[in-house]
Amino acid sequence: QRQEFYADQQAHHVLRMLADSQDDATFGYMVNNYRHSLQSATMALRDGRDEEDVVVALLHDIGFTACPSMHGEFAAALLGAYVSERNHWMLRHHQVFQAFHSPTEPGANPDARERWRGHRHFEWAATFVAKYDQDATDPGYDCLPLETFAPMVKRIFARTPRPPEGLLA
C-alpha cells in the first residue's frame, strides 16, 4: 500500500509544499522563494534543459524557509532517490556555491566551493548556481505557472527510487 500511496501522492505533497509558500515574505530578496523557484525552473526550461534539470531547478530551494542552514541537504534528501548523481551532488552543494556570488553576505566564504574543484560535478554546480539560482531574482521576469511543472514533477517522483546510501545490502 505504501508504494502505491507514494507513487500517487508524493509529487502532489511536494507541489503543495511549494505552493504554500506563494504568499511568503521576500526576506529582503527581490522575490520570495516561491517566485524564485518558478523563475529558476522557467529559465532552465527555456534554456532547453531536460525535465530532470527543470524539476531540480524548481525544487532546489524547497527547504529554504523550513531548513535555511541546510536547505541544499533538504532538497537533496527529497529528490536524491529520483535524480541523477550529478543533480543530487549539485543540490547538496549549491548552498556553498552560492557564496561565490554573495561575498558580502554575513558568514559567506566565496572560496569555499574551491575544495571541490576537480570533482566531476563541480562545473554543473557552478553553472546551475550562476544561471538558475543567482540570476533567478528578477521581479519582472515572466515566469511560467506552477501548473506547467506539475506533470514533470509527477514523472520524476514516479521513477523507481534508489535505496538511500548506507542501506544497501
Side-chain angles (χ1 to χ4, degrees):
Q1 287 178 329
R2 188 178 294 180
Q3 287 305 102
E4 290 175 27
F5 173 80
Y6 289 152
D8 185 50
Q9 292 295 311
Q10 191 172 15
H12 173 73
H13 283 263
V14 170
L15 289 164
R16 188 173 65 201
M17 191 164 67
L18 182 59
D20 282 347
S21 70
Q22 184 172 0
D23 296 321
D24 284 358
T26 64
F27 303 104
Y29 295 100
M30 298 289 290
V31 298
N32 70 8
N33 192 58
Y34 176 79
R35 185 105 176 127
H36 168 70
S37 298
L38 290 179
Q39 193 171 143
S40 181
T42 301
M43 294 166 82
L45 182 65
R46 289 179 178 157
D47 270 358
R49 293 286 178 183
D50 67 26
E51 188 166 274
E52 180 179 300
D53 290 350
V54 172
V55 170
V56 165
L58 180 70
L59 300 175
H60 77 281
D61 278 347
I62 189 124
F64 188 75
T65 56
C67 190
S69 66
M70 299 211 27
H71 74 270
E73 290 285 348
F74 186 100
L78 179 68
L79 288 163
Y82 303 97
V83 298
S84 65
E85 180 186 333
R86 165 183 164 267
N87 275 319
H88 184 242
W89 194 91
M90 183 280 298
L91 287 167
R92 287 185 63 216
H93 298 90
H94 83 274
Q95 228 174 312
V96 174
F97 278 71
Q98 184 65 38
F100 179 80
H101 300 278
S102 306
T104 60
E105 191 79 20
N109 176 357
D111 297 320
R113 72 182 195 168
E114 292 306 313
R115 70 184 120 173
W116 296 302
R117 185 159 302 274
H119 187 280
R120 67 182 177 274
H121 302 308
F122 180 95
E123 290 303 323
W124 169 236
T127 297
F128 178 89
V129 168
K131 291 185 81 171
Y132 308 118
D133 196 3
Q134 174 65 24
D135 286 348
T137 58
D138 179 356
Y141 188 82
D142 180 31
C143 297
L144 295 170
L146 184 58
E147 296 78 32
T148 301
F149 306 105
M152 297 177 205
V153 172
K154 289 176 183 176
R155 285 189 291 271
I156 294 298
F157 281 103
R159 293 176 175 178
T160 301
R162 289 185 314 280
E165 292 177 22
L167 295 182
L168 299 173

